[in-house]
Amino acid sequence: MKDTHQPPLLTALSSASADSPFVRVGDSSLSLDDLRGAAAAVADRIAGARRVAVNANASMETIVAVVGCLTAGVTAVPVPPDSGPAERRHVLSDSGVQLWLGEAPDDVELPVVPIDVSARSSKSYPEPAAESPALIVYTSGTTGAPKGVVLSRSAIAACLDALSEAWEWTAEDTLVHGLPLFHVHGLVLGVLGALRVGSPLTHTVRPKPAAYAEARGSLYFGVPTVWSRVCAEPTAARALGSARLLVSGSAPLPKPVFEKLSGLTGAAPVERYGMSETLITLSTRYDGERRPGWVGTALSTVQTRLCDDRDQPVPHDGESLGQLQVTGPTLFDGYLGLPEKTAESFTEDGWFRTGDIAVADPGGFHRIVGRESVDLIKSGGYRIGAGEVEQALLAHPGVREAAVVGVPDDDLGQRIVAYVVGDSLDGAVVTDFVAGTLSVHKRPREVRVLESLPRNAMGKVQKNLL
């Protein structure tokens, strides 16, 4: 008879009993035994459902709900707590969820299952098939209605195992972060990663510098905004000097922040790259080079390549721009209910088109230039990466934030427009500064000073709003 036993996705939950706190969220904590029992109590109530929505606020209830879904083999659909009624209606309708887990907004018409973190069940559940869907994570919807990204249990496991190898992440670590629990970074890496590796988790509810400093972890996750704020509080930053590893992702880490964080903590941060559709594919390694502005090499289970508009190879010379394409076991199963859109996202030979523009050096080290749709600027016959210009802008001592876009221009095709945040900035001076560090054709033709840049929950600049 064929052995249908599957190795557990959340390995820590199948380990020996442990009474010490394993997961902390703010003032709430649960041991592995408590988490296992609380998740089983949720599984008892939702078993048999196909998909359920989870009110994915930063709480212990969210973690118990998601683990309960994974225990029961029910696909979880994390819903951002700040989503508006129209976005929420789209996600619930598109995903076809049957239940809502956690506190529900007034406009939710589904049956609601409250989450009681003190409830316990001793019932055990068989491990679901590795290829079964674990999560459906919705994209930000910047190019239309949000799309449901279907992530299998095996893809999540492959990603987390490759990251634990690259970062030397073990059960001896204590992971600390305060990231949202409805994205890959905070939920898959920041919660499921801890439960697979077996490292205790402290979620600070919000990623405030003081909370990070007080947590005394060995491994920290953050987005560039978090690390910028940490650097603005040197006492908190220095308290992280005892950590083994600081990881930055979800958006490019500005070189000035990289350098300041390195100086205050005594160690350079690790940067990595990924998408909801691919999970994490590139990262600098714990034992390798950490180069500001670069996101490292492909993880052990992943292959990457750079291609031009005709899917022809682009040289790895550290300069040539190409579309990043990815293949490997961490890829998603497709966009829910959108087979044509899914097919369009892959090349004829099965590589996923990330839509991101990158360069790679001869050693396979990658630098992400930005999104092809908004960050590849074609001006005066040149192909210019917005990210390179943004990094040059951020090197100006008066510029705190920067975003670069290309706007239609009758003469150039597109002209470079820079949006910057800073004090007493003169556009002409800023333009000359960039022209002094990059090729002249990469200088902004306009510089617009703002009080702040529009960002989403993960700190990414929403260039469509610019």
Side-chain angles (χ1 to χ4, degrees):
M1 181 179 292
K2 182 180 178 180
D3 182 7
T4 59
H5 175 72
Q6 298 286 344
L9 170 61
L10 306 182
T11 309
L13 291 181
S14 62
S15 63
S17 299
D19 295 327
S20 58
F22 185 86
V23 177
R24 297 180 185 271
V25 183
D27 296 328
S28 178
S29 66
L30 290 176
S31 67
L32 278 176
D33 267 354
D34 289 338
L35 178 57
R36 186 186 301 115
V42 172
D44 291 347
R45 300 189 65 183
I46 66 173
R50 187 182 181 195
R51 300 175 189 140
V52 301
V54 176
N55 179 17
N57 55 17
S59 68
M60 186 68 79
E61 285 79 4
T62 295
I63 293 176
V64 168
V66 171
V67 176
C69 291
L70 295 175
T71 299
V74 175
T75 305
V77 181
V79 180
D82 61 350
S83 58
E87 178 186 356
R88 190 160 49 242
R89 282 195 301 270
H90 169 75
V91 169
L92 299 184
S93 172
D94 185 70
S95 63
V97 290
Q98 298 155 287
L99 302 169
W100 177 281
L101 301 191
E103 186 176 353
D106 293 338
D107 61 333
V108 171
E109 298 178 352
L110 294 166
V112 176
V113 177
I115 303 299
D116 180 1
V117 299
S118 66
R120 301 288 182 269
S121 171
S122 59
K123 184 175 180 179
S124 60
Y125 287 81
E127 180 71 14
E131 66 272 15
S132 62
L135 301 171
I136 299 175
V137 179
Y138 275 79
T139 63
S140 58
T142 55
T143 58
K147 299 184 291 293
V149 174
V150 182
L151 297 171
S152 69
R153 300 173 76 96
S154 61
I156 292 171
C159 171
L160 296 175
D161 290 348
L163 284 179
S164 65
E165 185 268 332
W167 297 343
E168 300 184 16
W169 183 5
T170 73
E172 300 301 313
D173 282 303
T174 295
L175 172 61
V176 178
H177 74 91
L179 301 174
L181 298 183
F182 48 87
H183 282 305
V184 165
H185 195 168
L187 179 59
V188 176
L189 276 61
V191 174
L192 305 187
L195 289 170
R196 184 164 180 83
V197 173
S199 61
L201 165 66
T202 295
H203 192 285
T204 60
V205 181
R206 293 182 179 178
K208 295 183 176 180
Y212 270 36
E214 293 169 3
R216 300 295 177 182
S218 63
L219 175 61
Y220 285 79
F221 291 167
V223 298
T225 302
V226 171
W227 298 125
S228 177
R229 291 173 180 172
V230 166
C231 289
E233 299 187 24
T235 300
R238 293 188 185 98
L240 303 185
S242 60
R244 188 179 66 81
L245 196 62
L246 308 179
V247 180
S248 184
S250 296
L253 184 66
K255 183 177 180 180
V257 178
F258 181 104
E259 293 174 343
K260 191 170 184 180
L261 187 63
S262 302
L264 289 168
T265 64
V270 157
E271 295 187 69
R272 90 299 181 281
Y273 162 86
M275 303 174 64
S276 299
E277 293 91 338
T278 66
L279 299 177
I280 308 305
T281 54
L282 299 166
S283 181
T284 48
R285 300 177 60 88
Y286 175 73
D287 60 355
E289 179 187 1
R290 304 177 195 181
R291 191 188 308 171
W294 296 70
V295 292
T297 56
L299 296 181
S300 59
T301 56
V302 173
Q303 291 178 279
T304 65
R305 69 186 185 188
L306 300 183
C307 295
D308 62 18
D309 296 340
R310 296 172 295 174
D311 289 333
Q312 295 303 303
V314 169
H316 286 201
D317 56 12
E319 295 290 339
S320 299
L321 301 178
Q323 186 194 84
L324 179 63
Q325 298 180 358
V326 177
T327 190
T330 67
L331 291 185
F332 72 138
D333 289 342
Y335 295 114
L336 183 67
L338 298 172
E340 292 183 0
K341 185 64 177 177
T342 300
E344 291 172 3
S345 300
F346 286 84
T347 64
E348 291 185 359
D349 55 350
W351 290 64
F352 178 71
R353 305 179 190 272
T354 66
D356 282 321
I357 300 301
V359 300
D361 71 10
F365 233 66
H366 291 68
R367 176 170 59 84
I368 306 299
V369 174
R371 296 297 292 167
E372 185 174 27
S373 57
V374 295
D375 292 320
L376 180 61
I377 302 170
K378 299 177 181 180
S379 181
Y382 294 98
R383 290 162 56 91
I384 302 160
E388 183 180 19
V389 184
E390 288 163 357
Q391 290 290 344
L393 287 163
L394 289 167
H396 187 287
V399 175
R400 294 196 300 273
E401 299 180 68
V404 168
V405 299
V407 301
D409 186 275
D410 291 339
D411 179 44
L412 298 169
Q414 287 181 301
R415 68 180 183 276
I416 301 172
V417 177
Y419 292 85
V420 296
V421 177
D423 300 319
S424 302
L425 292 173
D426 181 277
V429 173
V430 171
T431 295
D432 290 343
F433 178 84
V434 173
T437 58
L438 299 178
S439 300
V440 174
H441 68 267
K442 297 178 181 179
R443 72 189 186 281
R445 300 296 176 133
E446 297 178 48
V447 176
R448 302 175 184 177
V449 181
L450 302 178
E451 291 187 2
S452 64
L453 298 178
R455 296 180 182 272
N456 64 16
M458 296 304 293
K460 293 182 180 180
V461 176
Q462 296 176 295
K463 292 192 175 182
N464 58 310
L465 300 180
L466 295 174

